[in-house]
């Protein structure tokens, strides 16, 4: 009996020891396998994040180092607003204004390059309220589609949408000073892009029945003169002041001259012409260079 009991104990001990070694062997395999799985999962996540970042990266111009200028004006119902947004003395993005009626586009970071160089980026920089139905004027007045009632161009129309007063905010974009026709946008206005040097913009609040072609082309004389001045001589505002080079004559009665007649070689579409902008004699370089309020960059 004693021998039989001892034999059973030996067999049991042998059985237990063998099972322990088998468990340790499985554990030694599972741990590196789990680590390998974690590494592979991390690599996959990095690749996915990189692809998403590439998809969202700025595409196309303007790029860091570019320096463009666009003209802007505001049109309310049936007339231009002569006021200009003041000089942006705290420019953080590089898409701003010097109080001169121009949008200066020279991005400081990739957050405002490529598809992110937009009208919305400009409005954010100068801290102006702007969306698909609202525009804040330079004097702080808020133009809103629901509050402004532009007179109908056809009040006798049988269509109440045409005959009744109303308002719709649009962004009009001329691709160059040579372009005669503009592209009109009435939604996603903050996403309207800056695509090149010398574009012109009109922020227009008009009656919904007004055709885009009936929104006047802005006076481009100042922009034409500005673009022909060498970059190092282009006037900018004193950043300690709120005023900058003026687009409108300060001695007039506040009204804006009629838009300049389109040049003879103006293209039939809103696309920029291939030729260099020709000076029409408007805007004398010496008159801007001699203004004591101006500095040169």
């Amino acid at each position: 009996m004693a021998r039989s009991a001892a034999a059973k104990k030996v067999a049991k001990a042998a059985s237990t020891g063998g099972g322990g070694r088998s468990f340790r062997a499985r554990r030694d395999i599972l741990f590196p396998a789990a680590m390998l799985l974690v590494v592979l999962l991390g690599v996959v996540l990095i690749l996915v994040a990189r692809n998403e970042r590439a998809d969202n990266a700025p595409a196309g111009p303007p790029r860091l180092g570019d320096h463009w200028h666009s003209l802007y004006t505001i049109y309310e119902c049936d007339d231009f607003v002569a006021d200009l947004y003041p000089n942006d003395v705290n420019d953080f993005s590089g898409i701003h204004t010097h109080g001169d009626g121009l949008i200066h586009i020279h991005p400081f970071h990739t957050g405002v390059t490529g598809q992110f160089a937009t009208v919305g980026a400009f409005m954010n920089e100068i801290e102006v309220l702007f969306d698909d139905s609202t525009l804040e004027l330079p004097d702080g007045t808020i133009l809103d589609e629901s509050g402004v009632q532009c007179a109908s161009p056809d009040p006798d129309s049988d269509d109440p949408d045409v005959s009744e007063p109303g308002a719709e905010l649009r962004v009009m974009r001329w691709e160059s000073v040579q372009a005669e026709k503009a592209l009109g946008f009435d939604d996603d206005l903050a996403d309207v892009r800056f695509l090149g040097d010398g574009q012109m913009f009109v922020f227009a609040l008009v009656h919904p029945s007004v055709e885009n072609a009936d929104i006047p082309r802005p006076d481009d004389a100042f922009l034409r003169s500005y673009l022909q001045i060498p970059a190092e001589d282009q006037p900018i505002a004193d950043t300690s002041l709120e005023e900058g080079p003026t687009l409108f004559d300060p001695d007039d009665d506040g009204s804006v001259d009629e838009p300049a007649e389109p040049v003879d070689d103006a293209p039939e579409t809103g696309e920029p012409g291939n030729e260099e902008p020709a000076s029409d004699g408007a805007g004398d370089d010496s008159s801007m260079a001699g203004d004591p309020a101006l500095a040169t960059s």
Side-chain angles (χ1 to χ4, degrees), residues 216-264:
R217 189 179 188 273
D219 185 348
D220 62 14
F222 183 80
L223 178 61
R224 283 177 177 272
S225 295
Y226 201 99
L227 294 177
Q228 293 188 25
I229 301 174
E232 63 272 14
D233 295 329
Q234 289 175 346
I236 61 172
D238 183 341
T239 55
S240 66
L241 305 174
E242 289 193 353
E243 294 78 15
T246 56
L247 177 62
F248 303 105
D249 184 357
D251 296 328
D252 66 12
D253 58 2
S255 62
V256 180
D257 294 336
E258 290 296 321
E261 291 294 328
V263 294
D264 294 338

Side-chain angles (χ1 to χ4, degrees), residues 69-80:
H69 302 91
S70 292
L71 179 146
Y72 77 87
T73 58
I74 301 170
Y75 188 80
E76 182 182 359
C77 292
D78 58 1
D79 199 5
F80 285 102

